[in-house]
Amino acid sequence: MIERVSKQGAVSLRRLLARHMARTAGKTVMSPENPRQIARKRMDAGADRLPTPDDVKIESTTLAGLNALSFTPDDHRPGLLLFLHGGGYCLGSPKSHRPLVTRLAKALKIKAVSVDYRLAPEHVFPCAVDDGAAALNWAMTHSDGPVLIAGDSAGGGLALASILRQREHGRPLPQGVYLISPWTDMTASGESTHTRAKSDPMLKPDWLAAGAALYLEDTPADTPEASPLFADLSGFPPVFIQTGDAEILRDDSIRFAEKLEQAGVAVQCEIWDALWHDFPLFAPLLPEADMALDRLTQWAEPILTPSSN
């Protein structure tokens, strides 16, 4: 099911501030004109600008040979969320996405882990997939309940690639998938790559192309583990997608959801009117980000409740 979520009232000051933050992040972090190491430090530092709930314990840990952060809500039930951060496969870390994952763990009332997978160009494809798949296999063998895998932007594509790798090896799959503005097509064949180029404050088409070149090196862009849009999606677990209508990756979500439906996979894809790439990251500043989190919990509840497992 693909659903349009209408604009929530008049433009608010909080939405304007969040959009300004998104535009600033695009220029000072996501643009390839920024020196990579500086951009990485800026992305991590950006996490300090958003408040996080104080009833979630955050600890450094390791899993499957990877550094990670673990998130344990004071009130939690059996289950585990594995989160793979975005950043175009070249930026980002568990620290940069700490506010988001903290809120996800609290809202879902389950433990979460966010892993520090290897980044390009130091480590090109398929290193990130190797790490994501190892983390997913760890989650499936160590969780005390249902497993959800989630990711934003490139992390969304990586979550899907990790499932593909897990399925290839005949291993158990997670019970659900949550994707925020997933990058599913590195060939950039979606119309929104061009039609939303002026409305998206965070991403530009040439930035996508530059990131893809660094990550793929000599790998064809339509390789399924790099672009899950071109994969066989049969047997996938239920998928929940949230994407902004004003972002260049909008069609990556819509076309992926359509392909899931064709494969007989349960999918709920929400296209949020007037919102931009990765908008749920801006909670609690952006009211719609909080609303999106509420809708996620409604979707996930049947998966996480004992009666459904």
Side-chain angles (χ1 to χ4, degrees):
M1 176 180 69
I2 300 175
E3 175 186 2
R4 176 176 289 277
V5 181
S6 300
K7 185 185 297 184
Q8 306 297 308
V11 176
S12 66
L13 177 60
R14 288 169 63 187
R15 189 192 300 172
L16 290 174
L17 288 173
R19 186 177 178 86
H20 174 74
M21 285 183 64
R23 182 178 293 108
T24 300
K27 291 180 179 178
T28 63
V29 177
M30 302 306 297
S31 170
E33 293 181 1
N34 297 291
R36 192 168 301 109
Q37 296 303 325
I38 293 177
R40 288 174 178 172
K41 290 180 180 179
R42 286 173 177 168
M43 193 167 186
D44 283 352
D48 297 330
R49 298 190 181 97
L50 292 171
T52 57
D54 57 10
D55 50 357
V56 178
K57 184 178 182 180
I58 305 175
E59 297 178 291
S60 297
T61 187
T62 57
L63 60 91
L66 302 169
N67 292 327
L69 290 180
S70 67
F71 302 78
T72 306
D74 290 348
D75 178 20
H76 67 274
R77 53 185 164 179
L80 181 67
L81 171 73
L82 170 62
F83 189 85
L84 300 172
H85 67 80
Y89 293 103
C90 300
L91 308 171
S93 72
K95 181 180 179 181
S96 66
H97 286 62
R98 184 182 68 244
L100 173 64
V101 182
T102 304
R103 293 184 178 281
L104 291 175
K106 180 177 179 178
L108 296 170
K109 297 181 180 180
I110 58 174
K111 295 179 180 179
V113 290
S114 179
V115 300
D116 197 10
Y117 61 87
R118 288 172 290 175
L119 299 177
E122 296 91 340
H123 305 282
V124 298
F125 177 88
C127 289
V129 183
D130 293 342
D131 292 349
L136 176 56
N137 192 51
W138 179 94
M140 296 305 301
T141 56
H142 287 77
S143 177
D144 60 356
V147 173
L148 298 181
I149 187 171
D152 69 300
S153 194
L158 181 56
L160 297 170
S162 300
I163 295 172
L164 291 172
R165 182 75 65 84
Q166 187 82 346
R167 186 187 63 183
E168 177 186 343
H169 289 289
R171 299 167 178 162
L173 300 184
Q175 280 69 45
V177 186
Y178 173 46
L179 306 173
I180 301 171
S181 303
W183 192 8
T184 66
D185 175 17
M186 285 199 162
T187 72
S189 61
E191 289 185 6
S192 62
T193 303
H194 306 289
T195 61
R196 297 299 191 272
K198 292 183 178 180
S199 62
D200 190 336
M202 275 195 73
L203 287 183
K204 303 302 176 187
D206 57 332
W207 301 356
L208 285 183
L214 288 174
Y215 176 58
L216 293 173
E217 204 170 49
D218 298 326
T219 301
D222 60 354
T223 300
E225 284 190 351
S227 295
L229 179 65
F230 303 106
D232 171 13
L233 303 178
S234 58
F236 257 57
V239 178
F240 183 59
I241 305 171
Q242 292 179 319
T243 296
D245 185 61
E247 66 167 289
I248 62 175
L249 290 183
R250 183 199 65 170
D251 289 354
D252 279 41
S253 291
I254 293 175
R255 292 181 299 154
F256 190 76
E258 291 172 344
K259 189 163 183 179
L260 285 169
E261 289 181 331
Q262 294 168 5
V265 177
V267 57
Q268 182 174 337
C269 177
E270 297 182 345
I271 310 299
W272 286 66
D273 191 34
L275 293 181
W276 54 86
H277 183 68
D278 250 352
F279 73 89
L281 268 68
F282 295 88
L285 176 61
L286 180 67
E288 291 88 345
D290 288 332
M291 297 175 193
L293 187 57
D294 289 340
R295 293 172 73 102
L296 165 65
T297 58
Q298 293 172 18
W299 171 84
E301 191 60 27
I303 297 174
L304 298 174
T305 51
S307 60
S308 67
N309 294 285

PDB file of all heavy atoms in Angstrom, residues 116-131:
ATOM      1  N   ASP A 116      28.752   0.550  13.461  1.00  0.00           N
ATOM      2  CA  ASP A 116      29.714   1.403  12.766  1.00  0.00           C
ATOM      3  C   ASP A 116      30.319   0.610  11.612  1.00  0.00           C
ATOM      4  O   ASP A 116      31.441   0.128  11.701  1.00  0.00           O
ATOM      5  CB  ASP A 116      30.792   1.847  13.755  1.00  0.00           C
ATOM      6  CG  ASP A 116      31.585   3.046  13.260  1.00  0.00           C
ATOM      7  OD1 ASP A 116      31.177   3.650  12.251  1.00  0.00           O
ATOM      8  OD2 ASP A 116      32.604   3.371  13.887  1.00  0.00           O
ATOM      9  N   TYR A 117      29.566   0.488  10.519  1.00  0.00           N
ATOM     10  CA  TYR A 117      30.059  -0.276   9.374  1.00  0.00           C
ATOM     11  C   TYR A 117      31.108   0.524   8.605  1.00  0.00           C
ATOM     12  O   TYR A 117      31.215   1.744   8.732  1.00  0.00           O
ATOM     13  CB  TYR A 117      28.900  -0.688   8.463  1.00  0.00           C
ATOM     14  CG  TYR A 117      28.104   0.455   7.857  1.00  0.00           C
ATOM     15  CD1 TYR A 117      28.503   1.058   6.664  1.00  0.00           C
ATOM     16  CD2 TYR A 117      26.930   0.908   8.447  1.00  0.00           C
ATOM     17  CE1 TYR A 117      27.783   2.087   6.090  1.00  0.00           C
ATOM     18  CE2 TYR A 117      26.185   1.942   7.889  1.00  0.00           C
ATOM     19  CZ  TYR A 117      26.619   2.527   6.718  1.00  0.00           C
ATOM     20  OH  TYR A 117      25.903   3.554   6.153  1.00  0.00           O
ATOM     21  N   ARG A 118      31.892  -0.167   7.809  1.00  0.00           N
ATOM     22  CA  ARG A 118      32.986   0.482   7.085  1.00  0.00           C
ATOM     23  C   ARG A 118      32.460   1.406   5.985  1.00  0.00           C
ATOM     24  O   ARG A 118      31.471   1.087   5.321  1.00  0.00           O
ATOM     25  CB  ARG A 118      33.919  -0.587   6.491  1.00  0.00           C
ATOM     26  CG  ARG A 118      34.767  -1.303   7.523  1.00  0.00           C
ATOM     27  CD  ARG A 118      35.518  -2.466   6.915  1.00  0.00           C
ATOM     28  NE  ARG A 118      34.614  -3.563   6.556  1.00  0.00           N
ATOM     29  CZ  ARG A 118      34.986  -4.670   5.928  1.00  0.00           C
ATOM     30  NH1 ARG A 118      36.251  -4.812   5.546  1.00  0.00           N
ATOM     31  NH2 ARG A 118      34.100  -5.619   5.666  1.00  0.00           N
ATOM     32  N   LEU A 119      33.151   2.536   5.811  1.00  0.00           N
ATOM     33  CA  LEU A 119      32.720   3.571   4.880  1.00  0.00           C
ATOM     34  C   LEU A 119      33.652   3.670   3.674  1.00  0.00           C
ATOM     35  O   LEU A 119      34.841   3.363   3.757  1.00  0.00           O
ATOM     36  CB  LEU A 119      32.687   4.927   5.591  1.00  0.00           C
ATOM     37  CG  LEU A 119      31.741   5.055   6.798  1.00  0.00           C
ATOM     38  CD1 LEU A 119      31.901   6.430   7.426  1.00  0.00           C
ATOM     39  CD2 LEU A 119      30.294   4.808   6.397  1.00  0.00           C
ATOM     40  N   ALA A 120      33.088   4.128   2.566  1.00  0.00           N
ATOM     41  CA  ALA A 120      33.864   4.458   1.370  1.00  0.00           C
ATOM     42  C   ALA A 120      34.405   5.885   1.531  1.00  0.00           C
ATOM     43  O   ALA A 120      33.858   6.685   2.302  1.00  0.00           O
ATOM     44  CB  ALA A 120      32.966   4.351   0.144  1.00  0.00           C
ATOM     45  N   PRO A 121      35.448   6.236   0.808  1.00  0.00           N
ATOM     46  CA  PRO A 121      36.144   5.433  -0.206  1.00  0.00           C
ATOM     47  C   PRO A 121      37.235   4.530   0.355  1.00  0.00           C
ATOM     48  O   PRO A 121      37.842   3.788  -0.394  1.00  0.00           O
ATOM     49  CB  PRO A 121      36.746   6.501  -1.114  1.00  0.00           C
ATOM     50  CG  PRO A 121      37.066   7.622  -0.167  1.00  0.00           C
ATOM     51  CD  PRO A 121      35.941   7.625   0.841  1.00  0.00           C
ATOM     52  N   GLU A 122      37.451   4.592   1.684  1.00  0.00           N
ATOM     53  CA  GLU A 122      38.471   3.725   2.269  1.00  0.00           C
ATOM     54  C   GLU A 122      38.102   2.253   2.082  1.00  0.00           C
ATOM     55  O   GLU A 122      38.969   1.401   1.893  1.00  0.00           O
ATOM     56  CB  GLU A 122      38.644   4.036   3.759  1.00  0.00           C
ATOM     57  CG  GLU A 122      39.156   5.438   4.057  1.00  0.00           C
ATOM     58  CD  GLU A 122      38.018   6.427   4.245  1.00  0.00           C
ATOM     59  OE1 GLU A 122      36.883   6.147   3.787  1.00  0.00           O
ATOM     60  OE2 GLU A 122      38.253   7.475   4.850  1.00  0.00           O
ATOM     61  N   HIS A 123      36.802   1.985   2.155  1.00  0.00           N
ATOM     62  CA  HIS A 123      36.299   0.610   2.034  1.00  0.00           C
ATOM     63  C   HIS A 123      35.123   0.620   1.068  1.00  0.00           C
ATOM     64  O   HIS A 123      34.027   1.069   1.418  1.00  0.00           O
ATOM     65  CB  HIS A 123      35.873   0.071   3.404  1.00  0.00           C
ATOM     66  CG  HIS A 123      36.939   0.151   4.450  1.00  0.00           C
ATOM     67  ND1 HIS A 123      37.978  -0.748   4.522  1.00  0.00           N
ATOM     68  CD2 HIS A 123      37.139   1.048   5.447  1.00  0.00           C
ATOM     69  CE1 HIS A 123      38.763  -0.427   5.533  1.00  0.00           C
ATOM     70  NE2 HIS A 123      38.280   0.660   6.103  1.00  0.00           N
ATOM     71  N   VAL A 124      35.341   0.137  -0.144  1.00  0.00           N
ATOM     72  CA  VAL A 124      34.312   0.220  -1.175  1.00  0.00           C
ATOM     73  C   VAL A 124      33.408  -1.005  -1.128  1.00  0.00           C
ATOM     74  O   VAL A 124      33.633  -1.951  -0.366  1.00  0.00           O
ATOM     75  CB  VAL A 124      34.960   0.363  -2.573  1.00  0.00           C
ATOM     76  CG1 VAL A 124      35.782   1.641  -2.650  1.00  0.00           C
ATOM     77  CG2 VAL A 124      35.826  -0.858  -2.911  1.00  0.00           C
ATOM     78  N   PHE A 125      32.360  -0.963  -1.960  1.00  0.00           N
ATOM     79  CA  PHE A 125      31.430  -2.083  -2.077  1.00  0.00           C
ATOM     80  C   PHE A 125      32.215  -3.374  -2.356  1.00  0.00           C
ATOM     81  O   PHE A 125      33.144  -3.363  -3.161  1.00  0.00           O
ATOM     82  CB  PHE A 125      30.466  -1.817  -3.238  1.00  0.00           C
ATOM     83  CG  PHE A 125      29.500  -2.932  -3.514  1.00  0.00           C
ATOM     84  CD1 PHE A 125      28.286  -2.997  -2.862  1.00  0.00           C
ATOM     85  CD2 PHE A 125      29.811  -3.934  -4.442  1.00  0.00           C
ATOM     86  CE1 PHE A 125      27.406  -4.032  -3.119  1.00  0.00           C
ATOM     87  CE2 PHE A 125      28.940  -4.965  -4.697  1.00  0.00           C
ATOM     88  CZ  PHE A 125      27.728  -5.018  -4.031  1.00  0.00           C
ATOM     89  N   PRO A 126      31.891  -4.498  -1.677  1.00  0.00           N
ATOM     90  CA  PRO A 126      30.732  -4.728  -0.807  1.00  0.00           C
ATOM     91  C   PRO A 126      31.051  -4.705   0.682  1.00  0.00           C
ATOM     92  O   PRO A 126      30.371  -5.378   1.467  1.00  0.00           O
ATOM     93  CB  PRO A 126      30.306  -6.123  -1.229  1.00  0.00           C
ATOM     94  CG  PRO A 126      31.621  -6.829  -1.467  1.00  0.00           C
ATOM     95  CD  PRO A 126      32.540  -5.786  -2.050  1.00  0.00           C
ATOM     96  N   CYS A 127      32.048  -3.933   1.118  1.00  0.00           N
ATOM     97  CA  CYS A 127      32.439  -3.962   2.533  1.00  0.00           C
ATOM     98  C   CYS A 127      31.279  -3.611   3.455  1.00  0.00           C
ATOM     99  O   CYS A 127      31.076  -4.259   4.492  1.00  0.00           O
ATOM    100  CB  CYS A 127      33.606  -3.011   2.774  1.00  0.00           C
ATOM    101  SG  CYS A 127      35.175  -3.569   2.070  1.00  0.00           S
ATOM    102  N   ALA A 128      30.511  -2.572   3.110  1.00  0.00           N
ATOM    103  CA  ALA A 128      29.383  -2.188   3.950  1.00  0.00           C
ATOM    104  C   ALA A 128      28.361  -3.318   4.046  1.00  0.00           C
ATOM    105  O   ALA A 128      27.786  -3.571   5.111  1.00  0.00           O
ATOM    106  CB  ALA A 128      28.725  -0.923   3.412  1.00  0.00           C
ATOM    107  N   VAL A 129      28.119  -3.997   2.930  1.00  0.00           N
ATOM    108  CA  VAL A 129      27.166  -5.118   2.926  1.00  0.00           C
ATOM    109  C   VAL A 129      27.697  -6.270   3.772  1.00  0.00           C
ATOM    110  O   VAL A 129      26.945  -6.909   4.521  1.00  0.00           O
ATOM    111  CB  VAL A 129      26.864  -5.579   1.491  1.00  0.00           C
ATOM    112  CG1 VAL A 129      25.822  -6.697   1.500  1.00  0.00           C
ATOM    113  CG2 VAL A 129      26.376  -4.413   0.640  1.00  0.00           C
ATOM    114  N   ASP A 130      28.980  -6.534   3.672  1.00  0.00           N
ATOM    115  CA  ASP A 130      29.577  -7.584   4.513  1.00  0.00           C
ATOM    116  C   ASP A 130      29.322  -7.279   5.992  1.00  0.00           C
ATOM    117  O   ASP A 130      28.938  -8.170   6.763  1.00  0.00           O
ATOM    118  CB  ASP A 130      31.085  -7.668   4.266  1.00  0.00           C
ATOM    119  CG  ASP A 130      31.435  -8.155   2.869  1.00  0.00           C
ATOM    120  OD1 ASP A 130      30.560  -8.749   2.203  1.00  0.00           O
ATOM    121  OD2 ASP A 130      32.586  -7.929   2.449  1.00  0.00           O
ATOM    122  N   ASP A 131      29.519  -6.011   6.378  1.00  0.00           N
ATOM    123  CA  ASP A 131      29.339  -5.629   7.777  1.00  0.00           C
ATOM    124  C   ASP A 131      27.867  -5.643   8.172  1.00  0.00           C
ATOM    125  O   ASP A 131      27.504  -6.119   9.262  1.00  0.00           O
ATOM    126  CB  ASP A 131      29.924  -4.239   8.024  1.00  0.00           C
ATOM    127  CG  ASP A 131      31.443  -4.219   7.901  1.00  0.00           C
ATOM    128  OD1 ASP A 131      32.057  -5.305   7.830  1.00  0.00           O
ATOM    129  OD2 ASP A 131      32.013  -3.111   7.876  1.00  0.00           O
TER     130      ASP A 131
END
